[in-house]
Amino acid sequence: MGTTDDTLSSGSFNLILHAARQRGADSLVLCKTVGVDPAVLQNPDARVPIRLVQALWHEAIRVTGEPDLPLQLGELINPLSLGVLAYVMMHCPTLGQAIEKLCHYQDIACEGVQTVGQLAGQRFSILLKLTSNAIVYPEYTLSSEFSVYQSAFRALTGRMVAAEEIRFGFPEPENRSAYERVFGPAKLVFGADETRLILDAVWLETPILNANPGLFPLFEQHAEELLQKLRQPDLSFRVKQEIVALMNGEEPTLGLVADRLAMGVRTLQLHLKETGVTYQQLLDDVRRNLAIQHLREPNFSTTDIAYLLGFSEPSVFYRTFKKWTGSTPGAYRQQTVSSRLA
């Protein structure tokens, strides 16, 4: 299955499919090849693991024979069709405020890339930081992000917004001329310490065309709800629910639980850490409670319970249960029966 990490919105995944289709690829075949159910992509709030998005980039470029496809993304799709994040940006009064919302709600579109805005004098930078270890083709991710951002800024303002300089945190590619075509007249620097797009700060004051202040709160509320779903405060409870649902004779892995929560592994670990628990602690809590529940019933042998709870061997269950309670499963069951008879 590869590394399970952060996720991308189904809308963003669909944009890549749309671009590949315009270059002759069959989107259904691409989905089948990378292991994504097309039905999932019909839900605008669904999430796709970034490892599958990376596989999609690789396969789409192979099938189309277009190594520049990530660079072309902003030209081949409607950059304002990115779902609720685009709607929030469309109804901000200025480009600067739209970029501020882009940075705040970035995780809705893609958890694996952090977007940070920085103002220094008369220059404004948009810094991209890769946060997912599932991103194995950083040049595809970073170049497509800036391609879409540039197109979105132009569509939002009706102006030819252009960077003064763009620094890429990967080596100079063979297709440098394609970068010059897409991002010209910006100065391009490859092999930089970080990936950064630098604008004249004057652009931040550019009004957004057709912004409707009355619609802004509606879309921002939806965006905030989606963001909170990714950072659910009662996450421990939801994780335990998923562990119980998956407890069918095999130990539920962190990756599988993260997938069911539409969340990346590292994101889930981070949010659990913020609440003061680890996945292993939650798994142990669920197993202990289920073990005690099953031992109070006469229908399951201790061997049956061990396998039901996903332990590889009954002996491992016996040792673990004694560590939890101070008693072996058999002794605990006998104590329970004795207390009932008394």
Side-chain angles (χ1 to χ4, degrees), residues 22 30 32 56 73 85 101 132 153 174 195 200-201 206 210 215 219 222 237-238 265 275 309 314 317 334:
Q22 290 189 68
L30 284 176
K32 182 177 180 180
L56 174 63
L73 189 61
L85 175 55
K101 295 303 178 183
S132 172
F153 298 164
E174 294 181 1
T195 297
D200 186 324
T206 309
N210 305 314
L215 292 176
F219 291 121
H222 185 195
F237 175 74
R238 295 176 64 215
V265 167
T275 64
L309 299 181
F317 169 54
Q334 187 60 44

Side-chain angles (χ1 to χ4, degrees), residues 91-111:
H91 297 294
C92 288
T94 65
L95 180 61
Q97 287 165 293
I99 293 174
E100 180 185 336
K101 295 303 178 183
L102 169 65
C103 295
H104 180 69
Y105 293 116
Q106 166 68 41
D107 280 357
I108 295 175
C110 178
E111 289 182 284

Side-chain angles (χ1 to χ4, degrees), residues 39-56:
V40 172
L41 302 177
Q42 301 302 310
N43 178 0
D45 293 337
R47 313 290 299 183
V48 180
I50 281 180
R51 57 187 170 79
L52 301 185
V53 181
Q54 293 287 285
L56 174 63

Side-chain angles (χ1 to χ4, degrees), residues 228-289:
Q228 290 307 313
K229 274 187 180 180
L230 295 173
R231 304 171 180 174
Q232 195 67 270
D234 59 341
L235 192 56
S236 295
F237 175 74
R238 295 176 64 215
V239 168
K240 286 184 175 181
Q241 283 185 313
E242 296 298 340
I243 290 173
V244 171
L246 292 167
M247 195 74 74
N248 57 359
E250 294 183 0
E251 178 179 321
T253 65
L254 173 62
L256 188 55
V257 170
D259 274 348
R260 287 175 63 98
L261 292 173
M263 191 177 295
V265 167
R266 292 175 65 190
T267 301
L268 177 55
Q269 289 176 315
L270 177 62
H271 293 330
L272 287 176
K273 183 178 180 181
E274 290 173 350
T275 64
V277 296
T278 66
Y279 177 76
Q280 188 61 49
Q281 288 173 325
L282 297 179
L283 177 61
D284 287 344
D285 284 347
V286 170
R287 278 177 154 172
R288 181 175 60 251
N289 292 337

Side-chain angles (χ1 to χ4, degrees), residues 3 29 31 38 40 61 63 91 93 125 133 153 156 168 170 173 185 198 206 242-244 255 306 311 326-328:
T3 303
V29 172
C31 284
V40 172
I61 290 171
V63 170
H91 297 294
S125 294
N133 60 14
F153 298 164
L156 286 167
F168 291 101
F170 53 83
I198 303 171
T206 309
E242 296 298 340
I243 290 173
V244 171
F311 286 95
S327 302
T328 64

